[in-house]
Structure formats: C-alpha cells, structure tokens
C-alpha cells in the first residue's frame, strides 16, 4: 500500500497542474476583456495563503504606435496632395513616402463618419444615424446618438491590449444632455477608451474661444488658435508618456476642427493666397482636374460635371461679388495650409523623439465632402445677418460691407457654394449628400516607414471609414476582444485594407456599402451604385425664402439613379433607364442593408427643421 509521502507528492503535482490550468484560464479570460478570476490561495493566515497578481496588459512585441488624423469638411480636390491648388507640403511628404488611397469613403457628414471610424461599424448600427445633438437625434435605435457599449471603440480595444490612448480636437459623439461638468461621463472620450482628451465635444466651435474640455471638465482656452493648442497638448501627452514608458506604444486620435466652419486663421496664413483665386471657381475646377489627371489621382478619361445650377458662372458676377468670394477662398486656403503646418509640427516631434519610424499613420482628408452650408453668398457673421432674417439682396450687401471681417476671430466664416463644388473637384454635390461621391469620397494617406514598401504610389481599392479599425488591428496583430470591461462585443463590419498595402493590383475586398444621411441615400455593390437624392435638402430649407414654407416630399417621390463606377467614377452617366433590372436589384440590396443596420424610420431634414424628432427638445 502506497505510503503517506507518495500521497503528498501526488497531491502537490495535482495541485500544481490545476494551478497552472487555472492560471492559463484566468489569463485567457483577462485577455478577452473579462474580469480575471483570483488565481491564488486564500487561507486563514498568510503562511497558508498564496498571493496572485493578474498579468498586466501588454501590446505585441514591437507593436507600432498608431496615429489617426481626421480633418473636417475639406473636399476631395482641395489639397496639393490630391491634385488641388492649396499647398499642403506635410501631407505631400507623408503621401510621397506612403500610399494614396483615391477610392476611400466616409459617411457623408461628421458625427456619422466619426462613429463609424472609431467603432469599425456602420453609423446607424452604432446609433449615430444623425448626431448626438438634441435637435438632430431621435428616440430610435439608429438615431439616439448613444454608441452602445457592446460596440467598443478602437481606443477601448487598444487600451485593452497595452496601448496608451489619447484624443485631441473634435469628438462630436457625446449627447448634448451629458456634455456638462456634471456628466455622466461614460459617453465622453474618457468613457470610450481614451486615457486623456483635450478638445471640444460638439460638432463645431469658435477656434479662438472654443467650448474647450480636458478629460472630464470644461477648461478655459488660452486665446491662441485651437489647432495650435491641440497640437501642443498632443505633443505634451506623447512626451510625458514616452518618458514614463518608452517601450509602450500609443494611439493618438488627432482631429482638428479644420476646415469646418468657422474658417478662422491668422492673417499671415490667408495672405499667402492673396489674389490667387481672383480667376474664380470655374477656373479653379479646370486647373485641379488637370492636375489630378497628371498625378494619376483620377482616370485620364475624366470630365468635369456641369456646374451646379445653384452656382452662377464666375464671369457673370459683378466685381464686388468676385472680390468678396475670392476673399472667402483665401481664408479657407490659408486655414487648410495652416492645419497642414500643425500636423507637420506633430510629425516633426515624432521624428525628433525617434518614434516616427515605428508609427503607423492614417490621414483622412475630410470626414465628408466640402461643406455646402455656407449659402450661395457665404457666411461671415450669422448672428448679424441670418438668411432667415434677411432678403437675399440685404444679405449680400452686408457681406460685401463686412469683407474685412472674413476669417477673423469676431466672424464665423464659411465660404459660398461655388467654392464648395470647386474644392470637391472632380465630383458633383457636397457634404450631407450621401447619394453622391462628392459627399462621401475623401482622400486617405497611409504612412509607415517600417512597413510601407511601395512608397509614393496610389491605391484604388474601395474603402470606407469602417475599414480603418480592422486594418489597424490586423497590422498590429491584435484581435478584437471578446469582452471589453465585462461586456461581450458585437462583430466588426469593416474590411481590413492590409491586403492592398503591398499589392496595388489586388481586387477590392470591400464590395458592399450603404449610405444614408437625412434622406439622401445610396448603395454600392462591386462597382455599381444606385442612389437617390431627397428633397427638400437643408440648402432648400435654409434658402432666402422669408415667410415661405418649403413643402415636404415623400421618399416615394425620389428619383433613383444608377452608375457604373468602374467606367464612370464621378457619376456623370445615369444608367437607370438602360438597366432597370440592375437598379431594381440594387434597391433590394439597399432595403436589406437598411433593415439590418437600423436605418428605419427614415428621418430627413424636413423633420429636423420642423422639430419633429427628439420629444424632449424645447425651443
């Protein structure tokens, strides 16, 4: 019969085996985001107890830093990097040493784009069909403006995997009701995975007197331009982190307010463009499309769409109007070049600190197309001269008188429609138009010195903002956690773009994508696109029609168009009548996507303007 020593040895082996198994299970649970189960032993005294500590979160060995840069309301054809006239030398450098994606897409307006970008899921699916603002949200799953916790952000995922996470600039996803110093703070950036945040919670703010927040409290701005402040703060966060933990990677989300209105910038920047837009928006479009062809940004066969009928031909304008409109564009151009300069400051800091070579950089030049929100004549000071309070003649007269205020801290500048279409060259339509490439197609730069081999080349694979999260995870070797802070996570909807990094000839893997913004809608399927504009849009509702009501229109009255983007990339030839069965097929696909992604009930700008949503809203 075995002796007592045998049993003790056997018991110890079994205990050790079970302890190792328990430790592995505990570690696995911790890596999946679940709260770890205690893996030690608790006895009556310390002598018969065993301590246990969970393994700290660590990023994969050699994992790169991640920098996401998202600009606002820029337009496809604005930057020199993608064929525009406006100088963006720092973007040029990143693109010339990285990749230019020319077939990349956003949601068509800011908050939907940002929610889709940060979660890797379609914007209605994460409840951001409109905005998180009271007047632009509704009590339905697709529209309440509250991203669910089971749809974690890139910041939450990376923090779970050993990254420090920072955000500066525009956030835009905190419900208005929560955006006070009393919170709650779970939908502030720090509640969505960011260790630190410095910027503004809303959709727009004055660049010299911003509604400024740091972490979980409003703070007083220092009087400098906001982009200067957020760049300094980003550098401060990175410097402090690198000193404390030089081997720990960071994720930085850098999202300046530029070039969303108000267009405000120091005179030294706008004066760089003095007289350069005197030839007008028609000439601008012609020059840009020629440059885009030369750079290979667009196909050689491309032609400009007709000037929008809302926009007058430049040559027909009186001299006073030409002078006014040219000044608007000088301000916008200076604002964009200044923003590029601030990005350059950030990149230079990473270079000087020895971190740039191991930093994977994504630059999205605009969260939608160029803004159509500046009216036909532009906006200088809406409080002084509102289109709802003045006739068109009085509005224009006041703008001409106030020309010297354009771009200054006391003005809330936005350029006129003519420049919006010019900045969107070679596309038609603008921001908010989810039916149009002009509303949803934005340039993307991918830069990574250690990993991008085919430097300075162009990629034409179809992409969407929901793709950057899975691209980042694949490239870093990080898997989506099954749980984040104890909450089981939903699946990601985006498609990684890593397959295209080294293979310019690779076929697109993202082959299906729907779009919907306040009535305008479309469906893309493997090169074909069906789309429907919806009226009245917000330009019609906000036009100079004092005392006149614009009638509501049924969605059934909308006209669907059909385009083959493989042969007609900027939607000039409507094939709806030629291929009615194809249109019918795509409309059915859109319907399936609408049901799956919480697009119903359809809500449009008429509902917004007439305060038909968000029952708690008070005038």
């Amino acid at each position: 019969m075995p002796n007592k020593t045998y049993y003790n040895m056997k018991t110890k082996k079994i205990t050790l085996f079970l302890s190792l198994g328990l430790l592995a299970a505990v570690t696995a649970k911790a890596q999946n985001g679940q709260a770890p189960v205690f893996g030690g032993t608790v006895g009556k005294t310390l002598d018969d107890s065993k301590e246990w500590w969970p393994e700290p979160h660590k990023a994969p060995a050699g994992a790169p830093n991640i920098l996401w840069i998202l600009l606002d309301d820029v337009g496809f054809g604005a930057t020199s990097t993608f064929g525009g006239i406006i100088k963006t030398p720092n973007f040029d450098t990143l693109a010339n040493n990285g990749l230019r994606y020319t077939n990349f897409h956003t949601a068509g307006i800011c908050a939907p784009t940002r929610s889709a970008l940060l979660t890797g899921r379609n914007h209605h699916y994460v409840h951001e069909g409109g905005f998180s603002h009271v007047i632009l949200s509704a009590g339905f799953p697709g529209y309440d403006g509250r991203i669910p916790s089971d749809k974690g952000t890139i910041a939450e995922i990376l923090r779970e995997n050993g990254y420090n996470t920072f955000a500066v600039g525009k956030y835009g996803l905190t419900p208005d009701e929560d955006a006070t110093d009393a919170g709650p703070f779970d939908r502030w950036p720090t509640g969505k995975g960011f260790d630190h945040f410095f910027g503004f919670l809303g959709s727009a703010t004055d660049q010299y007197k911003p509604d400024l927040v740091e972490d979980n409290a409003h703070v007083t701005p220092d009087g400098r331009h906001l982009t200067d402040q957020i760049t300094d703060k980003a550098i401060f966060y990175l410097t402090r982190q690198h000193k404390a933990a030089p081997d720990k990677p960071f994720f930085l989300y850098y999202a300046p307010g530029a070039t969303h209105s108000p267009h405000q910038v120091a005179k030294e920047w706008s004066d760089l463009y003095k007289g350069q837009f005197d030839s007008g928006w028609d000439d601008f479009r012609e020059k840009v499309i020629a440059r885009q062809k030369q750079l290979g940004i667009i196909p050689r066969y491309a032609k400009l769409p007709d000037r929008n009928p809302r926009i007058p031909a430049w040559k027909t304008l009186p001299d006073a109007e030409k002078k006014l409109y040219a000044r608007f564009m000088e301000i916008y151009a200076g604002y964009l070049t200044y923003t590029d300069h601030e990005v350059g400051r950030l990149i230079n800091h990473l270079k000087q600190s020895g971190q740039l070579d191991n930093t994977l950089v994504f630059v999205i030049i605009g969260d939608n197309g160029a803004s159509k929100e500046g009216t036909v004549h532009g906006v200088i000071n809406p409080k002084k001269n509102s289109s709802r309070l003045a006739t068109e003649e009085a509005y224009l007269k006041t703008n001409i008188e106030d020309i010297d205020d354009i771009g200054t801290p006391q003005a809330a500048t936005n350029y006129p429609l003519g420049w919006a279409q010019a900045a969107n060259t070679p596309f038609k339509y603008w921001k908010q138009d989810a039916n149009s490439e002009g509303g949803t197609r934005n340039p993307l730069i991918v830069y990574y010195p250690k990993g991008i081999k085919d430097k300075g080349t162009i990629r034409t694979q179809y992409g969407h903002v929901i793709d950057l999260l899975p691209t980042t995870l694949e490239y870093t070797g990080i898997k989506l956690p099954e749980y984040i802070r104890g909450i089981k996570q939903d699946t990601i909807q985006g498609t990684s773009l890593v397959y295209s990094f080294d293979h310019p000839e690779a076929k697109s893997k993202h082959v299906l994508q729907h779009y919907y913004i306040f009535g305008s809608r479309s469906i893309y399927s493997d090169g074909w696109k069906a789309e429907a504009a919806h009226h009245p849009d917000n330009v019609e509702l906000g036009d100079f029609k004092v005392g006149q009501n614009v009638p509501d229109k049924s969605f059934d009255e909308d006209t669907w168009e059909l385009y083959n983007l493989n042969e007609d990339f900027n939607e000039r030839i409507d094939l709806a009548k030629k291929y009615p069965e194809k249109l019918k097929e795509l409309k059915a696909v859109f319907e399936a996507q609408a049901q799956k992604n919480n697009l119903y009930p359809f809500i449009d700008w008429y509902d917004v303007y007439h305060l038909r949503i968000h029952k708690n809203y008070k005038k």
Side-chain angles (χ1 to χ4, degrees), residues 580-601:
E581 290 303 313
K582 186 67 175 178
L583 177 59
K584 182 179 179 181
E585 171 194 325
L586 289 180
K587 288 172 70 175
V589 175
F590 177 84
E591 173 64 23
Q593 291 296 302
Q595 295 284 355
K596 177 182 177 181
N597 288 279
N598 302 328
L599 270 65
Y600 290 118

Side-chain angles (χ1 to χ4, degrees), residues 71 74 78-79 86 88 91 259 331-340:
L71 270 61
V74 177
T79 63
I86 300 169
T88 49
F91 295 150
T259 56
I331 298 298
Y332 168 79
Y335 192 18
L336 182 53
T337 298
Y338 163 66
T339 305
D340 173 86

Side-chain angles (χ1 to χ4, degrees), residues 363-382:
V363 183
I364 308 173
I365 302 181
D367 54 0
N368 40 246
S371 171
K372 66 180 182 180
E373 295 154 356
T375 77
V376 174
H377 303 300
V379 173
I380 300 176
N381 190 336

Side-chain angles (χ1 to χ4, degrees), residues 4 7 14 43 190 193 249 305 330 360 455 461 468 545 548:
K4 187 176 180 181
Y7 279 118
I14 293 172
T190 52
E330 290 169 9
L360 175 60
K455 300 181 190 302
Q461 287 84 359
L468 287 203
K545 296 181 174 68
Q548 177 183 343

